[in-house]
């Protein structure tokens, strides 16, 4: 399989992200889901991400920021890592604001264009079919579940985004981006904060 250059890989990743946004929008529009006035903030949710291509794309965006803004994000990322580890050591699920968030009340991402897959898909009901046929389902955020319950009162069935094809595309892109060393590299299992603290991924 031919290895892609970073720029070519990023273009393909952006195209996958566009498909996610479109499918998310269709599902959200159908049930009337919006983030406006939400009392929660999904940027507080503990997410771990699993691909080198998304990690590298995140740093593509970070490197476009002014130096002082990047340093401030790095400092918040370090604090996040420490707080999250303390929560995990206590047997608790971390509930700490993502270091990329620039407005806690509004949940505004400071790197919105480069936000990762899970950040884009969180909210609406979605499912993933694993290679062994097992289905993993997510009912959506708390507000989505409330909207879905209301939507289905009239006998309608709320839409569910099947992210299987999107994940397959992402896995294929990961293989093209990393190349033959993929199996020898450590498994990616990091929060955004960890990806920032660790710096850009080393894939050679």
């Amino acid at each position: 399989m031919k290895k892609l250059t970073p720029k070519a890989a990023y273009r393909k990743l952006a195209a996958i992200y566009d498909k996610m946004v479109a499918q998310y929008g269709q599902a959200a529009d159908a049930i009337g889901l919006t983030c406006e006035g939400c009392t929660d903030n999904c940027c507080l949710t503990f997410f771990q991400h699993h691909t080198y291509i998304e990690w590298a794309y995140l740093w593509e965006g970070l490197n476009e920021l002014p130096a002082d803004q990047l340093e401030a994000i790095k400092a918040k990322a370090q604090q996040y890592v420490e707080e999250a580890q303390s929560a995990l050591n206590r047997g608790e699920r971390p509930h700490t604001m993502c270091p990329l968030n620039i407005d806690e009340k509004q949940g505004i991402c400071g790197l919105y264009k480069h936000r990762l897959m899970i950040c884009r898909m969180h909210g609406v009901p979605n499912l993933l079919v694993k290679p062994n046929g097992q289905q993993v389902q997510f009912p959506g955020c708390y507000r989505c579940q409330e909207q879905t319950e209301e939507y289905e009162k009239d006998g309608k069935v709320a839409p569910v985004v099947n992210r299987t094809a999107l994940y397959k595309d992402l896995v294929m892109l990961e293989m093209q981006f990393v190349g033959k060393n993929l199996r020898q590299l450590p498994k990616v299992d990091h929060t955004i904060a960890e990806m920032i603290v660790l710096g850009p991924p080393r894939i050679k």
Side-chain angles (χ1 to χ4, degrees):
M1 183 179 295
K2 185 178 180 181
K3 191 174 185 294
L4 291 174
T5 64
K7 286 188 177 181
Y10 298 156
R11 286 196 299 269
K12 286 180 175 290
L13 181 59
I16 294 173
Y17 282 163
D18 286 344
K19 292 179 184 178
M20 293 178 195
V21 170
Q23 292 185 30
Y24 181 101
Q26 290 172 0
D29 290 346
I31 62 176
L33 175 67
T34 70
C35 298
E36 185 176 352
C38 182
T39 58
D40 196 8
N41 190 327
C42 60
C43 298
L44 286 164
T45 307
F46 184 69
F47 292 133
Q48 289 172 298
H49 309 270
H50 307 291
T51 62
Y52 283 97
I53 176 65
E54 289 195 287
W55 184 356
Y57 189 64
L58 177 72
W59 267 98
E60 175 79 358
L62 288 168
N63 285 328
E64 294 175 358
L65 297 175
D68 58 341
Q69 189 175 346
L70 177 56
E71 289 307 310
I73 287 174
K74 286 181 178 179
K76 290 199 297 182
Q78 182 61 50
Q79 182 179 355
Y80 180 106
V81 170
E82 293 170 2
E83 291 180 6
Q85 190 58 57
S86 293
L88 291 170
N89 290 342
R90 295 192 301 269
E92 301 172 1
R93 187 171 182 82
H95 192 68
T96 303
M97 182 58 67
C98 175
L100 295 179
N101 188 284
I102 58 175
D103 188 328
E104 186 168 336
K105 291 183 179 179
Q106 297 297 320
I108 298 175
C109 178
L111 214 65
Y112 191 77
K113 176 186 172 183
H114 290 80
R115 70 195 191 281
L116 307 188
M117 173 182 276
I118 297 176
C119 304
R120 294 169 189 267
M121 298 302 295
H122 183 74
V124 297
N126 59 78
L127 69 86
L128 171 67
V129 181
K130 293 184 175 182
N132 62 6
Q134 179 188 5
Q135 289 192 5
V136 180
Q137 293 186 304
F138 173 66
C141 63
Y142 90 92
R143 171 176 270 195
C144 175
Q145 293 178 51
E146 293 175 350
Q147 292 289 114
T148 298
E149 185 177 350
E150 186 68 26
Y151 179 86
E152 293 184 336
K153 281 184 178 179
D154 297 331
K156 295 180 289 187
V157 178
V160 176
V161 175
N162 188 336
R163 50 185 173 148
T164 307
L166 298 169
Y167 268 53
K168 286 181 178 178
D169 289 345
L170 183 60
V171 169
M172 181 62 68
L173 182 57
E174 174 84 336
M175 294 169 64
Q176 293 175 314
F177 176 70
V178 177
K180 62 183 180 180
N181 294 329
L182 181 59
R183 293 185 182 275
Q184 284 73 48
L185 290 170
K187 181 180 178 181
V188 178
D189 193 23
H190 300 316
T191 62
I192 283 176
E194 288 171 329
M195 289 178 168
I196 295 170
V197 170
L198 290 168
R202 299 188 182 112
I203 59 174
K204 294 182 180 179

